[in-house]
Amino acid sequence: MKFGVVVFPGSNCDADCYHVIKEVLGQEVDYIWHKEIAVQGYDALILPGGFSYGDYLRTGAIARFSPIMPAVIEFANQGGLIIGICNGFQILLEAGLLPGAMLRNRSLKFICDKVHLQVKRDDTPFTRLLKQDETISIPVAHGEGNYFCDAETLAELQREKRILFTYCSPSGEEDMVFNPNGSIANIAGITNKQGNVLGMMPHPERCSEHILGGTDGYRIFASMLQSWQEVSC
Amino acid sequence: MYKANIYVTLKEGVLDPQGGAVKKSLHVLNYTGVTEVRIGKFIEVWLEAKDPETAKVELKEMSDKLLANPVIENYRVEMLEVE
């Protein structure tokens, strides 16, 4: 399987993603500079975390118009797997590949911490190696992860089961007090209607090896690999 | 040449944690009459266009596409002709 990590000016988790795919998952991976205009030959794309364009104007607002983005949107529309992590999630929102927008964290503080997530579904290309209702632990690091959408969109996300991860306690209890940023309905990750595009604030690439204190993140990348193998082998 | 003042504000119902923090600070300064503070953006744009109508159309387009995010923000454009 061949992954592409899209690199914007100001991306800073691109090397971590590259490392996990190449050295831990053992798959092919390239960096794709944002000035490229094609993503041919890739089976999945990663939009990594960071501060593309310094978060100027709004997070992800300027990266969304990078030359590579029409190809990324086309890739998504053709059913290609895309995972947007942190700033990558913010870019997917600005690009309209996922609904909603990000606001400043409720606390107004940049939060760098390990949080617990409840897995809402285990029948998606991103979560098939996780278990529904399982609690996993993944780090977050963001200043604007306060996911917002209108009531109608939230109802649609819930009805179509597009919320894949919510913030929760270590024992899986969902409550605003375990929500680090104030996001609506404790949302930590959602997919598009077709289920091939995932945006999540927590960083799975930062917990994909035992030496980093956890491997729950690895299971997300491994799920993508297994889903791809099933379709193409 | 045209000069536009573009005011980008958060939509009603969208939480504004910055505005909330500034309100609390104003209360600490004894401005107890302050009931709400909302923080937005003020953007100045200078542009060349063949006539004011074209300039207005372009300003609306750029606001919809980039300057404001319609999910959370509203905007208002004021435009003047300048030298």
Side-chain angles (χ1 to χ4, degrees):
Chain A
M1 183 175 188
K2 192 170 179 185
F3 285 77
V5 177
V6 182
V7 184
F8 299 94
S11 294
N12 67 6
C13 300
D14 43 334
D16 306 53
C17 292
Y18 185 97
H19 165 79
V20 168
I21 299 304
K22 188 167 185 183
E23 308 297 341
V24 189
L25 198 62
Q27 299 301 307
E28 271 187 83
V29 58
D30 286 334
Y31 290 118
I32 306 173
W33 182 235
H34 75 116
K35 288 200 167 162
E36 301 285 326
I37 52 161
V39 293
Q40 275 138 11
Y42 295 100
D43 302 305
L45 297 179
I46 301 176
L47 271 58
F51 300 85
S52 58
Y53 293 92
D55 282 351
Y56 295 163
L57 194 62
R58 293 178 309 277
T59 57
I62 297 178
R64 178 258 174 277
F65 289 105
S66 278
I68 192 68
M69 287 307 292
V72 171
I73 292 168
E74 178 61 19
F75 186 82
N77 292 339
Q78 288 180 359
L81 287 182
I82 301 183
I83 180 171
I85 300 163
C86 199
N87 188 225
F89 185 8
Q90 294 163 339
I91 295 167
L92 291 174
L93 292 171
E94 284 284 342
L97 285 173
L98 293 171
M102 285 297 175
L103 300 171
R104 290 280 294 274
N105 290 346
R106 181 183 42 185
S107 64
L108 293 172
K109 294 191 174 95
F110 186 94
I111 302 161
C112 189
D113 206 355
K114 207 164 191 179
V115 298
H116 291 91
L117 304 178
Q118 190 172 62
V119 178
K120 307 303 272 187
R121 284 181 66 173
D122 56 15
D123 59 346
T124 79
F126 303 98
T127 57
R128 55 191 297 158
L129 296 175
L130 303 169
K131 287 193 186 65
Q132 190 173 327
D133 300 326
E134 181 187 357
T135 302
I136 59 173
S137 176
I138 296 192
V140 289
H142 59 252
E144 302 197 25
N146 184 352
Y147 177 78
F148 176 85
C149 63
D150 60 28
E152 200 179 316
T153 307
L154 179 61
E156 190 179 305
L157 289 173
Q158 287 168 331
R159 193 174 56 244
E160 295 174 353
K161 296 187 167 36
R162 289 161 55 190
I163 301 169
L164 293 201
F165 303 110
T166 52
Y167 299 109
C168 68
S169 74
S171 58
E173 186 194 346
E174 244 185 81
D175 189 288
M176 218 17 142
V177 299
F178 306 113
N179 177 333
N181 51 40
S183 66
I184 201 163
N186 302 313
I187 285 174
I190 56 168
T191 68
N192 63 344
K193 225 179 240 300
Q194 295 72 27
N196 60 308
V197 178
L198 166 66
M200 63 187 295
M201 287 314 292
H203 286 270
E205 79 282 10
R206 294 190 186 181
C207 57
S208 287
E209 288 168 282
H210 288 294
I211 195 171
L212 295 179
T215 55
D216 283 340
Y218 173 76
R219 296 158 70 199
I220 293 175
F221 297 112
S223 293
M224 292 172 74
L225 173 59
Q226 201 182 83
S227 305
W228 174 82
Q229 282 169 333
E230 202 159 275
V231 175
S232 37
C233 299
Chain B
M1 173 82 98
Y2 300 92
K3 154 88 195 294
N5 294 334
I6 302 169
Y7 302 85
V8 180
T9 51
L10 281 176
K11 280 186 173 169
E12 210 182 306
V14 174
L15 181 78
D16 179 9
Q18 282 191 89
V22 170
K23 182 178 90 173
K24 275 189 200 152
S25 186
L26 289 171
H27 286 174
V28 169
L29 294 174
N30 260 329
Y31 297 106
T32 49
V34 174
T35 57
E36 189 166 13
V37 176
R38 307 274 287 167
I39 295 180
K41 295 186 186 106
F42 172 59
I43 303 170
E44 296 177 285
V45 175
W46 285 262
L47 76 161
E48 306 274 11
K50 69 174 189 317
D51 54 51
E53 284 65 40
T54 311
K56 277 182 191 161
V57 168
E58 284 190 4
L59 286 162
K60 181 174 185 322
E61 269 179 24
M62 60 180 88
S63 300
D64 288 330
K65 272 191 199 163
L66 179 62
L67 302 179
N69 180 336
V71 178
I72 47 171
E73 294 167 330
N74 291 320
Y75 66 87
R76 180 165 61 84
V77 180
E78 290 171 357
M79 194 187 81
L80 309 163
E81 200 161 346
V82 291
E83 296 211 348

